[in-house]
Amino acid sequence: MGLPHPTAELAPDADGFFGRFGGRFVAETLMPLILELQQAYESAKQDPEFHAELDALRRDYIGRESPLYFAERLTEQLGGARIYLKREDLMHTGAHKINNCIGQVLLARRMGKQRIIAETGAGMHGVATATVAARFGMKCIIYMGSTDIDRQQPNVQRMKLLGAEVIPVTSGTGTLKDAMNDALRDWVTNVADTFYIIGTVAGPHPYPAMVRDFQSVIGQEVREQLAEKEGRLPDSLVACIGGGSNAMGLFHPFLEDESVRLVGVEAAGEGLDTGKHAASLQGGSPGVLHGNRTFLLQSAEGQITDAHSISAGLDYPGIGPEHAWLHEVGRAEYVAVTDDEALDAFKTLCRLEGIIPALESSHAIAHAIKLAPTLPEDHVMVLNLSGRGDKDMTTVTERLADELAADAPAE
Amino acid sequence: MTQRHDRIARRFDELKAANRAGLVTFISAGDPDYEASLETLLALPEAGADVIELGMPFTDPMADGPSIQASTLRALEGGQTMAKTLSMVRALRERDDATPVVLMGYYNPIYCMGVEAFLAEAAEAGVDGLIVVDLPPEHDAELCLPAQAHGIDFIRLATPTTDAKRLPLVLENTSGFLYYVSSTGVTGAAAPSAERVAEEVEAIRAHSALPIGVGFGIRTPEQAERIARFADAVVVGSAFTDAIGEAARPEDGVRRVVDLTRSLSEAVHRAREAEEA
């Protein structure tokens, strides 16, 4: 299937800008590396061998394509739009993150790099990175906030089993943004042999475009699968957004199809008006962090504030610059759902479809639950089920302790 | 019209005439609190700082090591704001019109204040230069060129990864002096050998007549002395932020910074005496 060849108006410009967002706001030490990476990526995109190897790994290692599953009982229950789930949760390592990691590790090998570093929040990107590093025999260092290490223990153990070194990050607030700071500090220090696999559609150019391209396999498959099942394009696409890679991967192949409604779901945490949320677009303002200009959670003084979400994977005070641009030009709409709504949606999907979703993906489900009943029965909605929920058992069982302790199922 | 003071150029001219290197000191504005930081700032010129770098605190200092990270967070916890940082510069200017002040930090606090508003206030306060770590030459239109239009120098970092192909681009709009980062990595990392750095600095001199300050990893008078033999200035940062961080009370921090400035300044002064004798 290969990588998309975006049209001129969709691609970032030569300096990596999507409108006024994006760019390469990095220290001079990193500039030569970023330019080298861009060159390597451009050359890989033109190389049929790179595509062939990527396609083979997608098929035989990741398990693509991922199913597009008609959620019959969820659709019936909500009584509106026909809801399909794009089953990224069934892919190797349990989330969409591997799509990007497999692409970047192939690039790392092409560039002769032997040491892989990455940041991780919920640990899914860390696990996916550790996985591809093991597969290609590379040294792997994962930076993870100490707060996240506490709440995502199973993923920490997975990374270690896969041979990665997990470095707890205590600087700042000990969450994803600080892990990214420390990964950047590592990269600046070990420029010669290190490849930094950024896990989302953020960071300096070319990362936002490159990660999007590797994730676009999601939307490309949806296009083909839906043509087969329904004989047409979807009417709406719904995906959760932290940095925004699963959403960008789903949206991007449909950007030019104006009939397709694109809905990104941010984490409203305890509520947008409480200040304890992770909704950069709806509760933030434009700024510059981690190499790109985008919407950020910050004070009026430009100091970055903490994100809050029940889901560690959405707990980031920024968002990919292409989303900021789609928001500004109005091509995509962005909404937010709270921790409680996400938790309810989590339970709903478990009971109705026999699928335990990631808390991140539960945000998308929560919005679909609100949206679907308002739509006609011939409306086709595709929801990206970006990951599975096994990693969230500790968080969920703590929050639902009373309910789970009851003898009978709470019906 | 903006009045140019050229304090940086004049200071490097004086240093050259005296055949000695300058000492560039870094502290985070407001670390650990406004009063102590202001007292430190005001004491620096007399203690021997030839150029003062004043950090604009930022929550996410990606190019800095643990010591400066801690200092910037102490300052923010102490309530430091951009307005307070600029008022520190104004207070210094009331008593010292010769020592150049360079504000150092990251782009976001400036961007959020508004580039024009920031530059107008900084120029008025008596700021001479800016070092903004996350604005490479590719983004000169953002701040570098507007700053120079306000008479404020834009000092850029060159690093060991800046190859011959890239150096002209880095130098193109750099003014005031060039800051040579002597090692890859974050501030406060281990110091590289003086011999290697000397060679790298000589290589840059072939491309530029700008004064060259060398920093990253220089902590002791002995290290400063070795670098001062060939560099136009020696930049010391983390040793100062450590001195403030390790102090039991803010006033002890002031004294430690002043003492360290004195001993570094003496070392930098004597660096070229041996070869002259």
Side-chain angles (χ1 to χ4, degrees):
Chain A
M1 185 172 292
L3 295 167
H5 295 279
T7 56
E9 62 269 29
L10 293 180
D13 70 16
D15 293 318
F17 279 106
F18 303 88
R20 63 177 168 139
F21 301 105
R24 287 181 286 221
F25 296 91
V26 296
E28 177 57 32
T29 314
L30 289 182
M31 270 314 293
L33 283 86
I34 282 170
L35 295 173
E36 184 195 352
L37 172 63
Q38 188 180 342
Q39 212 168 27
Y41 179 53
E42 293 303 325
S43 110
K45 273 204 286 192
Q46 310 300 327
D47 181 354
E49 271 182 40
F50 180 82
H51 290 266
E53 190 170 11
L54 181 59
D55 285 349
L57 284 162
R58 280 173 171 173
R59 186 183 64 238
D60 301 334
Y61 190 67
I62 299 180
R64 302 207 73 89
E65 59 186 25
S66 71
L68 184 68
Y69 163 73
F70 176 57
E72 189 178 351
R73 293 191 69 216
L74 183 66
T75 297
E76 255 171 44
Q77 169 100 8
L78 297 175
R82 292 169 65 76
I83 301 174
Y84 283 88
L85 304 178
K86 181 61 173 165
R87 299 292 307 274
E88 293 300 302
D89 62 315
L90 294 176
M91 297 296 89
H92 185 38
T93 73
H96 71 290
K97 292 292 186 188
I98 190 91
N99 300 331
N100 168 46
C101 292
I102 206 84
Q104 288 200 49
V105 82
L106 287 180
L107 258 187
R109 198 188 54 184
R110 251 179 111 87
M111 295 173 73
K113 307 285 185 185
Q114 278 302 317
R115 181 176 178 272
I116 300 290
I117 60 169
E119 83 294 339
T120 196
M124 297 311 281
H125 175 57
V127 168
T129 302
T131 297
V132 299
R135 166 65 183 76
F136 286 89
M138 294 184 190
K139 188 175 163 65
C140 183
I141 315 281
I142 304 291
Y143 289 91
M144 188 169 185
S146 53
T147 311
D148 290 333
I149 286 182
D150 291 343
R151 58 180 175 176
Q152 303 288 344
Q153 265 303 311
N155 274 345
V156 174
Q157 302 310 332
R158 274 186 200 108
M159 287 184 266
K160 289 182 178 170
L161 279 171
L162 291 160
E165 184 184 348
V166 181
I167 300 187
V169 175
T170 53
S171 64
T173 50
T175 58
L176 179 53
K177 83 171 171 81
D178 306 294
M180 198 153 177
N181 288 337
D182 270 14
L184 284 164
R185 289 175 184 127
D186 179 311
W187 200 21
V188 152
T189 309
N190 302 292
V191 288
D193 65 340
T194 297
F195 190 101
Y196 180 15
I197 299 189
I198 293 184
T200 192
V201 286
H205 181 61
Y207 282 100
M210 180 173 74
V211 175
R212 172 200 72 194
D213 291 349
F214 288 136
Q215 291 293 1
S216 288
V217 65
I218 300 172
Q220 287 158 12
E221 287 178 3
V222 165
R223 220 182 158 93
E224 291 171 14
Q225 290 167 318
L226 208 61
E228 201 170 292
K229 289 176 196 289
E230 296 273 348
R232 64 187 185 89
L233 289 172
D235 296 301
S236 61
L237 303 173
V238 181
C240 67
I241 297 197
S245 71
N246 90 80
M248 213 57 244
L250 177 64
F251 293 175
H252 191 257
F254 296 96
L255 284 187
E256 289 186 312
D257 301 300
E258 288 188 13
S259 68
V260 182
R261 184 175 168 189
L262 311 175
V263 187
V265 186
E266 295 189 292
E270 295 179 11
L272 286 180
D273 53 355
T274 64
K276 299 188 86 175
H277 60 79
S280 317
L281 286 179
Q282 285 150 97
S285 56
V288 175
L289 180 71
H290 293 151
N292 63 117
R293 174 155 44 223
T294 187
F295 275 76
L296 300 172
L297 299 180
Q298 59 183 338
S299 72
E301 284 270 317
Q303 305 296 344
I304 309 305
T305 52
D306 291 341
H308 169 91
S309 171
I310 189 172
S311 135
L314 304 183
D315 209 346
Y316 178 68
I319 184 168
E322 193 166 5
H323 284 296
W325 175 62
L326 293 175
H327 169 68
E328 194 157 85
V329 300
R331 175 62 188 99
E333 60 192 283
Y334 295 87
V335 297
V337 307
T338 64
D339 288 351
D340 288 341
E341 291 170 324
L343 212 51
D344 282 344
F346 175 94
K347 287 189 285 185
T348 301
L349 202 72
C350 289
R351 297 286 169 85
L352 286 180
E353 297 290 350
I355 297 171
I356 301 177
L359 279 173
E360 289 78 8
S361 321
S362 300
H363 285 72
I365 300 162
H367 188 68
I369 288 172
K370 292 185 202 173
L371 194 58
T374 70
L375 298 167
E377 286 180 8
D378 61 352
H379 181 106
V380 174
M381 175 187 288
V382 176
L383 190 157
N384 203 6
L385 197 61
S386 55
R388 67 178 183 219
D390 308 50
K391 69 184 174 61
D392 295 314
M393 283 302 115
T394 313
T395 308
V396 171
T397 48
E398 272 171 24
R399 288 287 288 256
L400 302 178
D402 294 347
E403 217 170 293
L404 292 169
D407 291 331
E411 273 302 333
Chain B
M1 182 184 150
T2 308
Q3 188 192 350
R4 276 204 72 98
H5 294 277
D6 288 321
R7 292 187 195 92
I8 294 176
R10 269 188 283 139
R11 178 52 46 97
F12 277 102
D13 286 346
E14 288 161 15
L15 291 167
K16 194 171 184 183
N19 186 30
R20 71 169 183 89
L23 173 65
V24 183
T25 60
F26 172 92
I27 56 167
S28 289
D31 174 23
D33 60 41
Y34 182 82
E35 287 72 25
S37 188
L38 178 61
E39 193 184 334
T40 308
L41 175 69
L42 297 179
L44 282 172
E46 206 205 346
D50 297 298
V51 176
I52 295 171
E53 278 181 15
L54 193 57
M56 299 173 280
F58 181 49
T59 40
D60 293 79
M62 282 140 343
D64 285 297
S67 176
I68 293 180
Q69 288 173 44
S71 84
T72 191
L73 292 180
R74 281 193 302 269
L76 290 172
E77 277 158 27
Q80 189 69 11
T81 61
M82 189 68 91
K84 287 183 178 179
T85 299
L86 292 170
S87 70
M88 286 173 67
V89 179
R90 281 190 201 97
L92 177 75
R93 282 286 166 258
E94 280 173 20
R95 61 166 75 184
D96 180 320
D97 197 39
T99 308
V101 174
V102 174
L103 293 184
M104 182 165 185
Y106 294 80
Y107 185 34
N108 198 48
I110 296 171
Y111 178 75
C112 286
M113 180 173 172
V115 166
E116 274 306 312
F118 168 79
L119 290 174
E121 280 201 43
E124 175 269 322
V127 169
D128 302 289
L130 297 175
I131 299 175
V132 181
V133 182
D134 51 355
L135 283 176
E138 281 75 1
H139 288 306
D140 272 356
E142 297 270 343
L143 183 65
C144 169
L145 299 177
Q148 288 167 350
H150 279 266
I152 296 175
D153 283 320
F154 199 84
I155 293 140
R156 198 163 336 258
L157 279 60
T159 76
T161 61
T162 310
D163 55 20
K165 205 177 76 190
R166 195 168 161 77
L167 189 59
L169 181 66
V170 169
L171 291 168
E172 190 180 355
N173 290 319
T174 300
S175 59
F177 64 96
L178 182 73
Y179 185 160
Y180 184 66
V181 173
S182 56
S183 58
T184 60
V186 294
T187 52
S193 82
E195 291 71 26
R196 200 204 79 200
V197 180
E199 282 173 25
E200 289 161 352
V201 166
E202 285 317 308
I204 294 173
R205 287 200 199 280
H207 297 268
S208 172
L210 281 174
I212 299 175
V214 173
F216 274 43
I218 303 168
R219 304 184 59 88
T220 65
E222 293 70 31
Q223 289 170 327
E225 188 177 343
R226 281 196 289 275
I227 300 291
R229 288 188 192 128
F230 59 87
D232 299 302
V234 179
V235 188
V236 179
S238 296
F240 288 111
T241 51
D242 276 348
I244 294 171
E246 287 159 8
R249 297 170 306 168
E251 53 268 39
D252 295 341
V254 179
R255 188 178 41 75
R256 282 170 178 239
V257 170
V258 168
D259 290 348
L260 180 59
T261 302
R262 283 221 170 82
S263 57
L264 287 166
S265 175
E266 283 162 15
V268 166
H269 274 242
R270 69 173 173 257
R272 295 184 201 162
E273 281 168 11
E275 52 194 82
E276 274 176 27

Coordinates of all heavy atoms in Angstrom, one line a residue, chain A residues 168-210:
Chain A
P168 N 13.4 6.6 34.6 CA 12.4 7.4 35.2 C 12.7 8.9 35.2 O 13.9 9.3 35.4 CB 12.3 7.0 36.7 CG 13.3 5.8 36.8 CD 14.2 5.9 35.6
V169 N 11.8 9.7 34.8 CA 12.0 11.1 34.6 C 11.3 11.8 35.8 O 10.1 11.8 36.0 CB 11.4 11.7 33.3 CG1 11.6 13.2 33.2 CG2 12.2 11.0 32.1
T170 N 12.2 12.5 36.6 CA 11.6 13.2 37.8 C 11.6 14.7 37.6 O 11.1 15.4 38.4 CB 12.5 12.8 39.0 OG1 13.8 13.1 38.7 CG2 12.3 11.4 39.4
S171 N 12.3 15.2 36.5 CA 12.3 16.6 36.3 C 10.9 17.1 36.0 O 10.0 16.4 35.6 CB 13.2 16.9 35.1 OG 12.7 16.4 33.9
G172 N 10.7 18.4 36.3 CA 9.4 19.0 36.0 C 8.3 18.3 36.8 O 8.4 18.2 38.1
T173 N 7.2 17.9 36.1 CA 6.1 17.2 36.8 C 6.2 15.7 36.7 O 5.3 15.0 37.1 CB 4.8 17.7 36.3 OG1 4.8 17.7 34.9 CG2 4.6 19.2 36.7
G174 N 7.2 15.2 36.1 CA 7.4 13.7 35.9 C 6.3 13.1 35.1 O 5.9 12.0 35.3
T175 N 5.9 13.8 34.0 CA 4.9 13.2 33.1 C 5.5 13.2 31.7 O 6.6 13.5 31.4 CB 3.5 13.9 33.2 OG1 3.7 15.2 32.9 CG2 2.9 13.7 34.5
L176 N 4.6 13.0 30.7 CA 5.0 12.9 29.3 C 5.8 14.0 28.8 O 6.8 13.8 28.1 CB 3.7 12.6 28.4 CG 3.9 12.5 26.9 CD1 4.9 11.4 26.6 CD2 2.6 12.1 26.3
K177 N 5.4 15.3 29.1 CA 6.2 16.4 28.6 C 7.6 16.4 29.1 O 8.6 16.8 28.4 CB 5.5 17.7 28.9 CG 5.8 18.3 30.2 CD 5.2 19.7 30.4 CE 5.3 20.2 31.8 NZ 6.6 20.7 32.2
D178 N 7.8 16.0 30.3 CA 9.1 16.0 30.9 C 9.9 14.8 30.3 O 11.1 14.9 30.1 CB 9.0 15.9 32.4 CG 8.1 17.0 33.0 OD1 8.6 18.1 32.9 OD2 7.0 16.7 33.5
A179 N 9.2 13.7 30.0 CA 9.9 12.6 29.4 C 10.4 13.0 28.0 O 11.5 12.7 27.6 CB 8.9 11.4 29.2
M180 N 9.6 13.9 27.3 CA 10.0 14.4 26.0 C 11.2 15.3 26.2 O 12.2 15.3 25.4 CB 8.9 15.0 25.3 CG 9.1 15.2 23.8 SD 7.5 15.3 23.0 CE 8.0 15.6 21.3
N181 N 11.2 16.2 27.2 CA 12.3 17.0 27.4 C 13.6 16.2 27.6 O 14.7 16.5 27.1 CB 12.1 17.9 28.7 CG 11.1 19.0 28.5 OD1 10.8 19.4 27.4 ND2 10.5 19.4 29.6
D182 N 13.5 15.2 28.4 CA 14.7 14.4 28.7 C 15.2 13.6 27.5 O 16.4 13.4 27.3 CB 14.5 13.5 29.9 CG 14.9 14.2 31.2 OD1 15.1 15.4 31.2 OD2 15.0 13.5 32.3
A183 N 14.2 13.1 26.7 CA 14.6 12.4 25.5 C 15.4 13.4 24.6 O 16.4 13.1 24.0 CB 13.4 11.8 24.8
L184 N 14.9 14.6 24.5 CA 15.6 15.6 23.6 C 16.9 15.9 24.2 O 17.9 16.1 23.4 CB 14.7 16.9 23.6 CG 13.5 16.9 22.7 CD1 12.5 18.0 23.0 CD2 13.9 16.9 21.2
R185 N 17.1 16.0 25.5 CA 18.4 16.2 26.2 C 19.3 15.0 25.8 O 20.5 15.3 25.6 CB 18.2 16.4 27.7 CG 17.6 17.7 28.0 CD 17.3 17.8 29.6 NE 16.6 19.0 29.8 CZ 15.4 19.1 30.5 NH1 14.9 18.0 31.0 NH2 14.8 20.2 30.7
D186 N 18.8 13.8 25.9 CA 19.6 12.7 25.5 C 20.1 12.8 24.1 O 21.3 12.6 23.7 CB 18.8 11.4 25.7 CG 19.5 10.1 25.3 OD1 20.1 10.1 24.2 OD2 19.5 9.1 26.1
W187 N 19.2 13.2 23.2 CA 19.5 13.2 21.8 C 20.6 14.3 21.5 O 21.5 14.1 20.7 CB 18.2 13.6 21.0 CG 18.3 13.2 19.5 CD1 19.1 12.3 18.9 CD2 17.5 13.8 18.5 NE1 18.9 12.3 17.6 CE2 17.9 13.1 17.3 CE3 16.4 14.7 18.4 CZ2 17.3 13.5 16.0 CZ3 15.8 15.0 17.2 CH2 16.3 14.4 16.0
V188 N 20.4 15.4 22.2 CA 21.4 16.5 22.0 C 22.8 16.0 22.5 O 23.8 16.5 22.0 CB 20.9 17.7 22.9 CG1 22.1 18.6 23.3 CG2 20.0 18.6 22.1
T189 N 22.8 15.1 23.5 CA 24.1 14.6 24.0 C 24.7 13.5 23.2 O 25.9 13.4 23.1 CB 23.8 14.1 25.5 OG1 23.1 15.1 26.2 CG2 25.1 13.8 26.2
N190 N 23.8 12.7 22.6 CA 24.3 11.5 21.9 C 24.0 11.6 20.4 O 23.4 10.6 19.8 CB 23.7 10.2 22.5 CG 24.1 10.1 24.0 OD1 25.2 9.9 24.3 ND2 23.1 10.3 24.8
V191 N 24.3 12.7 19.8 CA 23.9 12.9 18.4 C 24.4 11.9 17.4 O 23.8 11.6 16.4 CB 24.3 14.3 18.0 CG1 23.4 15.4 18.7 CG2 25.8 14.6 18.2
A192 N 25.6 11.4 17.7 CA 26.3 10.6 16.6 C 25.5 9.3 16.3 O 25.4 8.9 15.2 CB 27.7 10.3 16.9
D193 N 25.1 8.5 17.4 CA 24.7 7.2 17.1 C 23.2 7.0 17.4 O 22.7 5.9 17.4 CB 25.5 6.2 18.0 CG 25.2 6.4 19.5 OD1 24.8 7.5 19.9 OD2 25.5 5.5 20.3
T194 N 22.5 8.1 17.8 CA 21.1 7.9 18.3 C 20.0 8.4 17.4 O 20.1 9.4 16.7 CB 21.0 8.7 19.7 OG1 21.9 8.1 20.6 CG2 19.6 8.7 20.2
F195 N 19.0 7.6 17.3 CA 17.8 7.9 16.6 C 16.6 8.1 17.6 O 16.4 7.2 18.4 CB 17.4 6.8 15.6 CG 16.3 7.2 14.6 CD1 16.6 7.6 13.3 CD2 15.0 7.2 15.0 CE1 15.6 7.9 12.4 CE2 14.0 7.5 14.1 CZ 14.3 7.9 12.8
Y196 N 16.0 9.2 17.5 CA 14.9 9.5 18.4 C 13.5 9.2 17.7 O 13.2 9.8 16.8 CB 14.9 11.0 18.8 CG 13.8 11.4 19.8 CD1 13.0 10.5 20.5 CD2 13.6 12.8 20.0 CE1 12.0 10.9 21.4 CE2 12.6 13.2 20.9 CZ 11.8 12.3 21.6 OH 10.8 12.7 22.4
I197 N 12.8 8.2 18.2 CA 11.5 7.8 17.7 C 10.5 8.6 18.5 O 10.1 8.1 19.5 CB 11.3 6.3 17.7 CG1 12.3 5.5 16.9 CG2 9.8 6.0 17.2 CD1 12.0 4.0 16.8
I198 N 10.0 9.7 17.9 CA 8.9 10.4 18.6 C 7.6 9.7 18.3 O 7.4 9.2 17.2 CB 8.9 11.9 18.0 CG1 10.1 12.7 18.5 CG2 7.6 12.6 18.5 CD1 10.2 14.1 18.1
G199 N 6.8 9.6 19.3 CA 5.6 8.7 19.3 C 4.4 9.4 18.7 O 3.4 8.7 18.5
T200 N 4.4 10.7 18.5 CA 3.2 11.3 18.0 C 3.5 12.3 16.9 O 4.6 12.5 16.6 CB 2.4 11.9 19.2 OG1 1.1 12.2 18.7 CG2 3.1 13.1 19.7
V201 N 2.4 12.9 16.4 CA 2.5 13.8 15.2 C 3.0 15.2 15.7 O 2.4 16.2 15.3 CB 1.2 13.9 14.4 CG1 1.0 12.7 13.6 CG2 0.0 14.2 15.3
A202 N 3.9 15.2 16.6 CA 4.4 16.5 17.2 C 6.0 16.5 17.1 O 6.5 15.6 16.5 CB 4.0 16.7 18.6
G203 N 6.6 17.5 17.7 CA 8.0 17.7 17.6 C 8.4 18.5 16.3 O 7.5 19.0 15.6
P204 N 9.7 18.7 16.1 CA 10.2 19.5 15.0 C 9.9 18.8 13.7 O 9.9 17.5 13.6 CB 11.7 19.6 15.2 CG 12.0 18.4 16.1 CD 10.8 18.1 16.9
H205 N 9.7 19.5 12.6 CA 9.7 19.0 11.3 C 10.9 18.2 11.0 O 12.0 18.6 11.4 CB 9.6 20.2 10.3 CG 9.5 19.8 8.8 ND1 8.5 19.0 8.3 CD2 10.4 20.0 7.8 CE1 8.7 18.8 7.0 NE2 9.8 19.4 6.7
P206 N 10.9 17.0 10.4 CA 9.8 16.4 9.7 C 8.9 15.4 10.5 O 8.1 14.7 10.0 CB 10.5 15.5 8.7 CG 11.7 15.0 9.4 CD 12.1 16.1 10.3
Y207 N 9.1 15.4 11.9 CA 8.3 14.4 12.6 C 6.8 14.4 12.4 O 6.2 13.4 12.2 CB 8.6 14.5 14.1 CG 9.9 13.8 14.5 CD1 11.1 14.6 14.7 CD2 10.0 12.4 14.6 CE1 12.3 14.0 15.0 CE2 11.3 11.8 14.9 CZ 12.4 12.6 15.1 OH 13.6 12.0 15.4
P208 N 6.2 15.6 12.5 CA 4.7 15.6 12.4 C 4.2 15.0 11.1 O 3.2 14.2 11.1 CB 4.3 17.1 12.5 CG 5.4 17.7 13.3 CD 6.7 17.0 12.9
A209 N 4.9 15.3 10.0 CA 4.5 14.8 8.7 C 4.9 13.3 8.6 O 4.1 12.5 8.0 CB 5.1 15.6 7.6
M210 N 6.0 13.0 9.1 CA 6.5 11.6 9.0 C 5.7 10.6 9.8 O 5.3 9.6 9.3 CB 8.0 11.6 9.4 CG 8.6 10.2 9.3 SD 10.4 10.3 9.7 CE 10.4 10.5 11.5

